[in-house]
Amino acid sequence: MFDITEENVSTVEGLEKRRRPFPNMEAVYFISPTEPSIALLNQDFADRSEPHYKCAHIFFPTKLPSVLFQQITERTAGRIKSMVELNLDYRAPEARVFHFNDPNSIYSIYTGEGREADRVFRSMAKQLMTVCASLGENPFIRYHQHSDLCMALASILQDHIDTYAEENGDALTSGDHRATLLILERGHDLVAPLVHDFYYQNMVYDMLPVDGYSYSYQFIDNDDEEQVREAVLSDDDAVWVRLRHMHIAEACDVVIKEFNEFLKQNKSIQTIDNKQKVSSLKQMTEAVRAMPEYQDMKKKYALHMDMASKCMDEFEERRLAEVGAVEQDIVCGEDALGKPVTHKHVLPRLKELLSAHDIRCVPPRSFFQSLFFSPPVSFFIPLP
């Protein structure tokens, strides 16, 4: 929001809400190309003598259907100053990651009726096409030949890309030097989502109360008072970008190493126990609290000291080292030495974990993984 207001945008409001008229100001509309949105747009300019705004600049995240374009030209054309299809119908939380913000799509595809699955595929194909348009790519589409789901999505997507390429000339790459788009379905790898991932980003989302991209944490200010702050996990945080794809152990080591480098460069600083080096996140937290004058250092690392510490606490409390070892043996079918894993090796460890009285260390993922073991594992779990 700050970036928008810095561009002299006076206010940001939802289209569906009652808004104060600004008849002397131009309005920027960023709306979905749907009938309800177009109806609300036209309503803003329905009164020609007293329009809601002076004129409109309209931006759509994806293609505007001809029928809706006609509705705009018939009712609001005189007030439209610009209209752009951005082809941005997706979310990109990282530089090389995108998603469609539809967590229910997998349920609709695998359990819905044919009409519902077809709706999801068509929506997904349109969104994928906007990704290709953003990258300027007309990719070779490859998919699993024995998957009807992959074939259906590939066919719809190819139609959308062909139509876009015809309408936009040289906007997409052509020839042999094109990207390849691989379409795979979850059914080809059922086990992967059940395995614990011990990389920093995945542990944060798996074990901490992250709401979307927001995380609230406690922070000790200069007056030694506890404050609650809310952080956004995004590319704006250079430390997060650097650490998120590291193993949790490596991420902790990097944070401690960088802090020790800071202490080395600032020899006048003394930690609580008068040492010029820390060896753990706990020591680092205590050292930062003892440096009230270094606000930038506190702000830079307080969030990640909090998250990394809590992740490691959860790791210990849930006995995830043991759980992860069992998971790897089940999923890989062999142990760390490359020897085949049999029921005789897995069952005792799995039973012990599933029978644990501390409910926080019961690993339901390992239970479901055991269903993919050949032959399936069966056991009795005694209640505490």
Side-chain angles (χ1 to χ4, degrees):
M1 192 66 72
F2 173 78
D3 294 336
I4 296 176
T5 55
E6 281 291 289
E7 297 297 326
N8 295 321
V9 175
S10 61
T11 182
V12 179
E13 300 177 301
L15 186 66
E16 70 284 355
K17 296 180 180 178
R18 283 190 71 173
R19 289 163 279 125
R20 177 185 171 188
F22 290 97
N24 297 319
M25 297 180 67
E26 299 183 4
V28 176
Y29 288 79
F30 185 76
I31 57 177
S32 57
T34 61
E35 266 195 59
S37 294
I38 302 305
L40 290 170
L41 166 69
N42 289 331
Q43 185 178 318
D44 285 348
F45 298 93
D47 189 339
R48 304 203 174 199
S49 60
E50 295 184 12
H52 224 71
Y53 307 104
K54 182 179 179 180
C55 62
H57 301 267
I58 310 173
F59 295 86
F60 297 105
T62 186
K63 184 178 175 61
L64 176 69
S66 300
V67 175
L68 298 181
F69 176 75
Q70 187 175 352
Q71 290 180 16
I72 296 175
T73 56
E74 290 176 352
R75 302 176 191 179
T76 315
R79 295 288 178 175
I80 305 301
K81 203 163 186 179
S82 62
M83 187 184 298
V84 181
E85 294 172 346
L86 294 173
N87 290 308
L88 292 174
D89 197 11
Y90 56 90
R91 296 194 179 184
E94 299 181 24
R96 298 184 179 182
V97 176
F98 69 88
H99 65 83
F100 300 141
N101 195 37
D102 187 4
N104 296 321
S105 60
I106 192 168
Y107 178 83
S108 300
I109 291 171
Y110 284 102
T111 65
E113 297 179 356
R115 186 174 298 177
E116 175 63 14
D118 183 68
R119 181 196 66 77
V120 173
F121 279 143
R122 293 192 178 281
S123 174
M124 196 179 297
K126 286 181 180 179
Q127 292 173 300
L128 269 174
M129 194 282 296
T130 68
V131 176
C132 295
S134 297
L135 299 173
E137 286 287 351
N138 184 355
F140 295 106
I141 300 177
R142 300 287 183 262
Y143 59 90
H144 198 285
Q145 64 177 339
H146 299 301
S147 170
D148 293 337
L149 296 176
C150 293
M151 182 170 64
L153 179 58
S155 176
I156 299 171
L157 174 59
Q158 187 65 69
D159 290 342
H160 281 298
I161 291 178
D162 290 344
T163 301
Y164 181 85
E166 289 175 8
E167 295 176 349
N168 294 273
D170 298 329
L172 302 181
T173 55
S174 59
D176 295 331
H177 300 290
R178 291 184 282 159
T180 298
L181 190 152
L182 299 176
I183 298 179
L184 305 172
E185 62 157 301
R186 184 76 273 161
H188 294 141
D189 186 6
L190 293 171
V191 178
L194 302 174
V195 180
H196 280 91
D197 192 322
F198 299 127
Y199 281 72
Y200 184 41
Q201 182 184 51
N202 297 323
M203 288 190 72
V204 166
Y205 276 93
D206 198 13
M207 301 177 188
L208 304 183
V210 179
D211 182 11
Y213 304 112
S214 298
Y215 174 73
S216 297
Y217 67 103
Q218 295 175 336
F219 178 79
I220 306 298
D221 62 18
N222 287 344
D223 299 324
D224 207 30
E225 293 183 0
E226 195 173 85
Q227 303 286 340
V228 177
R229 288 187 175 179
E230 184 171 295
V232 178
L233 305 179
S234 71
D235 284 8
D236 292 333
D237 183 344
V239 179
W240 172 248
V241 171
R242 195 164 63 255
L243 299 180
R244 62 189 173 193
H245 297 310
M246 293 182 182
H247 190 278
I248 184 65
E250 183 184 3
C252 291
D253 289 344
V254 168
V255 170
I256 293 170
K257 180 181 177 181
E258 290 184 358
F259 184 71
N260 285 329
E261 285 293 324
F262 174 79
L263 293 178
K264 187 176 179 180
Q265 293 169 10
N266 297 270
K267 296 183 181 294
S268 61
I269 302 174
Q270 292 294 323
T271 59
I272 289 178
D273 52 4
N274 294 321
K275 292 182 179 180
Q276 278 292 320
K277 191 174 183 180
V278 298
S279 58
S280 68
L281 289 172
K282 184 177 179 181
Q283 289 181 1
M284 182 176 170
T285 302
E286 294 173 349
V288 169
R289 288 181 183 177
M291 302 186 309
E293 68 275 25
Y294 291 92
Q295 287 300 306
D296 289 342
M297 171 57 69
K298 278 190 172 185
K299 186 175 180 181
K300 185 177 181 180
Y301 287 106
L303 168 65
H304 299 285
M305 287 189 297
D306 180 272
M307 292 197 303
S309 297
K310 288 180 178 176
C311 282
M312 292 308 298
D313 289 344
E314 290 290 313
F315 182 86
E316 297 293 336
E317 189 174 342
R318 299 186 190 188
R319 296 167 59 184
L320 290 181
E322 299 171 63
V323 172
V326 174
E327 288 178 348
Q328 290 297 316
D329 287 354
I330 292 175
V331 172
C332 297
E334 59 183 36
D335 61 20
L337 299 176
K339 296 181 180 179
V341 173
T342 65
H343 287 73
K344 185 174 74 173
H345 297 99
V346 173
L347 268 178
R349 297 153 66 199
L350 190 56
K351 284 182 178 180
E352 192 275 327
L353 289 170
L354 289 168
S355 304
H357 289 198
D358 181 3
I359 192 65
R360 288 184 59 76
C361 77
V362 175
R365 298 179 187 183
S366 298
F367 170 74
F368 287 114
Q369 289 162 12
S370 68
L371 301 179
F372 297 101
F373 214 77
S374 182
V377 176
S378 60
F379 41 74
F380 171 74
I381 305 174
L383 296 175

